[in-house]
């Protein structure tokens, strides 16, 4: 059995469960099951006979398996179990939670489960992709000149915007793809 995404799911996002190597027949039926502890299993309503199926886990961890039942013999069989974790948003998901960085400093980040549910909107140069922002803050030097860039790693599809003001009243100063 496999899941996509395989490593876990962001809160409120869908995961596709798939199983291979199973053949059905007139007397074989399949039922997806879930468990919060890997011991007590519950049939997932609306997920019978569907391979693959889409789920939205809400508790971490959640375990899944596929039950096969042969009505002619009365025997049950089960797939391997799959455990999914719900991944949380980064601590700097919102402007007022920006991580301070020093001029000349390096900060590593991950925007894979960030969201923009309470942000006012995308920066002017952002023309495509998901609005999954992470926020950093710095104090500009007296010269006013700063170079900001991203490197391959945890941040994906980077577009950078610089804002001035306090976290609840921001004014966009500059915006670009990957480097300012």
């Amino acid at each position: 059995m496999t899941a996509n995404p395989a490593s876990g799911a962001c809160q409120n996002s869908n995961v596709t469960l798939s199983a291979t190597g199973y053949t059905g027949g007139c007397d074989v039926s399949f039922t997806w099951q879930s468990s919060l502890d890997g011991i007590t299993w519950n049939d997932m309503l609306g997920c019978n006979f569907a391979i693959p199926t889409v789920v939205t886990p809400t508790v971490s961890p959640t375990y899944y398996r596929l039950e096969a039942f042969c009505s002619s013999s009365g025997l049950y069989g089960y797939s391997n179990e799959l455990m999914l974790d719900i991944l949380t948003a980064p601590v700097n998901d919102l402007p007022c939670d920006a991580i301070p960085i020093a001029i000349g400093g390096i900060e590593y980040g991950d925007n894979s489960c960030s969201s923009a549910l309470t942000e006012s909107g995308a920066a002017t140069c952002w023309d495509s992709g998901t609005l999954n922002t992470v926020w950093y803050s710095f104090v500009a030097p007296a010269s006013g000149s700063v170079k900001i860039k991203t490197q391959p790693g945890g941040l994906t599809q980077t577009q950078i915007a610089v804002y001035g003001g306090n976290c609840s009243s921001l004014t966009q100063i500059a915006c670009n793809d990957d480097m300012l």
Side-chain angles (χ1 to χ4, degrees), residues 61-180:
T62 301
Y63 299 85
Y64 296 95
R65 72 180 182 186
L66 187 62
E67 174 190 74
F69 173 68
C70 179
S71 60
S72 62
S73 68
L75 297 175
Y76 289 87
Y78 301 95
S79 69
N80 60 312
E81 298 170 9
L82 177 72
M83 182 186 79
L84 282 179
D85 282 318
I86 296 177
L87 307 174
T88 58
V91 296
N92 58 335
D93 191 25
L94 297 171
C96 289
D97 298 322
I99 294 174
I101 54 177
I103 299 298
I106 297 174
E107 184 66 39
Y108 297 94
D110 184 348
N111 67 343
S112 58
C113 281
S114 61
S115 67
L117 298 177
T118 58
E119 293 179 30
S120 58
T124 57
C125 67
W126 297 358
D127 55 8
S128 64
T130 303
L131 183 61
N132 54 347
T133 60
V134 287
W135 292 81
Y136 299 91
S137 65
F138 64 91
V139 176
S143 69
S145 178
V146 175
K147 182 176 185 177
I148 302 168
K149 65 180 181 175
T150 59
Q151 298 290 328
L155 296 174
T156 59
Q157 298 298 321
T158 59
Q159 296 168 311
I160 300 171
V162 173
Y163 293 84
N166 68 49
C167 66
S168 59
S169 179
L170 297 171
T171 303
Q172 184 179 313
I173 297 170
C175 190
N176 201 345
D177 232 11
D178 297 326
M179 184 171 25
L180 276 173

Side-chain angles (χ1 to χ4, degrees), residues 9-53:
C10 296
Q11 194 167 16
N12 299 318
S13 65
N14 292 335
V15 175
T16 301
L17 301 176
S18 300
T20 59
Y22 293 92
T23 56
C26 59
D27 63 346
V28 177
S29 61
F30 299 99
T31 303
W32 287 101
Q33 295 182 325
S34 66
S35 172
L36 298 180
D37 58 10
I39 298 168
T40 305
W41 294 90
N42 299 299
D43 291 349
M44 296 168 51
L45 299 176
C47 293
N48 296 348
F49 311 108
I51 303 173
T53 194

